[in-house]
Amino acid sequence: MRTERNLTRLDRVFARLDREPERPVHLDVPKMSRHRIALFSGSLAFYVAIVWAVVITSWLVRLDWQVMFFRPYQQWPEIHAFVDYYVVLGQRGPTAVMVAAWLGWRSWRQHTLRPLLALGASLLLLNITVGAAKYGMGRLGPHYATTVGSNEMWAGGDIFPSGHTANAVVTWGILAYLASTPRARRWLSAVSAVTSLGVGMSTVYLGTHWLSDVVLGWVAGLLILLALPWCEPLIARCEAWLLGLRDRWSARSGRPAPAAATPVVLAPAVADPDAPAREPVAAARSRGVHLAPGPHTSRSERTPVTPVGSRRPPHPERHPRGTASTARPTSGS
């Protein structure tokens, strides 16, 4: 009697994921269009204008000092505890872990390394550009300012532009950049914009950044997101190299290399020539038919489910079929 193994919830999840294509064909990789180039050029010009306004100690620096003397954390002390927690959404470590976990699940689900590689490329650009600007201009923060009304530039600081704000723009904006549909991209863009805006204003409220630091941090993060399509060819080459390395490592270790689903070639039928042909496993998966996880073989390759031999218990006087039984001695006359 054949018994079927009861599928657990995890088995059903893996069986559903096994029907996913190797790489969804509907994913739209952003291109560096004219509209994006125009936005990038305008944002870059705005970035240079903010830096120049701070360097020459213009009205923007005077606004920074007015906001600092206003001391928002003293004007609204009841929200101080909430802002202390909210500003964590702009810290590099916690946000990178959360977003990397989500994008790692997407990479596993869609059988592509592009989400994780795009996140790595954006964080690398963030560290290089924002870090170089911070240490290159060396501006002191409001708590360490020495001269009232000065721009506090080239004094050994590291707060211009705001790293919290730029990190919030890039980390949460990468979710919108990697969205699969235009509707999801619009919603995620709005959510990331509001989140990064709140993180920037939180740093101004706490007095850790000037207002111009936050504005420049927004623009710096936007420039990184706008420049990501230029990195897409490099991301594709890195993905191909990593997948090839995985296949070579699998071949050396003796394991079968994970490859795209291919139709299973069945053995020629020997029982009934008029019987309908068996559907390949890959075709069944593409149609959405539920298949249990594990290797699937044709019926001709499976072991028989009927037990071999007789099901009756052995008997001392019973002989197997096909063997001659010896004559029983007769008793009596």
Side-chain angles (χ1 to χ4, degrees), residues 5-311:
R5 183 172 64 90
N6 294 328
L7 297 178
T8 63
R9 181 176 297 179
L10 186 61
D11 292 334
R12 291 194 293 269
V13 169
F14 276 103
R16 181 178 181 85
L17 293 178
D18 198 26
R19 299 198 303 268
E20 293 292 331
E22 280 299 307
R23 179 164 182 160
V25 295
H26 65 279
L27 292 182
D28 183 21
V29 178
K31 302 287 192 303
M32 205 63 186
S33 60
R34 293 182 178 179
H35 177 68
R36 187 179 287 269
I37 292 177
L39 287 177
F40 181 84
S41 302
S43 301
L44 184 59
F46 188 53
Y47 185 98
V48 175
I50 296 174
V51 174
W52 179 250
V54 173
V55 168
I56 64 175
T57 316
S58 65
W59 61 270
L60 186 58
V61 176
R62 293 194 295 270
L63 180 61
D64 287 339
W65 281 97
Q66 290 175 3
V67 174
M68 192 273 285
F69 284 132
F70 182 70
R71 291 181 174 86
Y73 57 89
Q74 292 182 357
Q75 301 295 329
W76 302 287
E78 61 275 4
I79 64 173
H80 198 290
F82 170 76
V83 174
D84 279 338
Y85 287 104
Y86 185 84
V87 79
V88 177
L89 295 177
Q91 289 185 0
R92 189 77 46 84
T95 56
V97 169
M98 289 187 291
V99 174
W102 168 254
L103 295 181
W105 181 83
R106 281 193 58 185
S107 295
W108 175 68
R109 173 75 182 271
Q110 298 175 350
H111 302 280
T112 175
L113 297 177
R114 179 175 170 263
L116 287 177
L117 292 176
L119 175 64
S122 62
L123 293 180
L124 181 61
L125 289 175
L126 178 67
N127 290 331
I128 294 175
T129 57
V130 176
K134 278 175 172 289
Y135 292 102
M137 290 182 281
R139 190 182 189 189
L140 292 175
H143 293 318
Y144 302 97
T146 57
T147 304
V148 176
S150 67
N151 55 15
E152 302 296 331
M153 296 285 285
W154 299 289
D158 58 350
I159 55 99
F160 186 64
S162 170
H164 271 69
T165 307
N167 182 74
V169 173
V170 172
T171 307
W172 302 113
I174 195 68
L175 299 179
Y177 177 82
L178 296 171
S180 303
T181 61
R183 182 179 180 182
R185 186 176 294 112
R186 288 193 297 268
W187 278 100
L188 289 175
S189 299
V191 171
S192 62
V194 172
T195 303
S196 59
L197 177 65
V199 169
M201 297 309 296
S202 297
T203 61
V204 175
Y205 169 87
L206 296 173
T208 57
H209 279 287
W210 305 101
L211 182 61
S212 57
D213 300 342
V214 173
V215 176
L216 194 66
W218 284 330
V219 182
L222 181 61
L223 285 173
I224 293 173
L225 292 178
L226 291 174
L228 270 182
W230 277 326
C231 301
E232 286 293 343
L234 180 60
I235 291 174
R237 287 195 294 269
C238 290
E239 180 183 14
W241 179 80
L242 290 174
L243 293 179
L245 185 64
R246 179 200 62 180
D247 295 341
R248 290 192 296 271
W249 180 82
S250 300
R252 290 178 182 177
S253 61
R255 299 177 183 176
T262 54
V264 178
V265 179
L266 302 178
V270 295
D272 188 3
D274 297 331
R278 191 177 302 277
E279 185 180 13
V281 175
R285 288 175 179 171
S286 63
R287 291 193 303 101
V289 179
H290 177 80
L291 295 174
H296 303 281
T297 58
S298 60
R299 184 173 296 275
S300 60
E301 299 173 357
R302 299 173 186 168
T303 56
V305 296
T306 304
V308 179
S310 175
R311 300 183 183 180

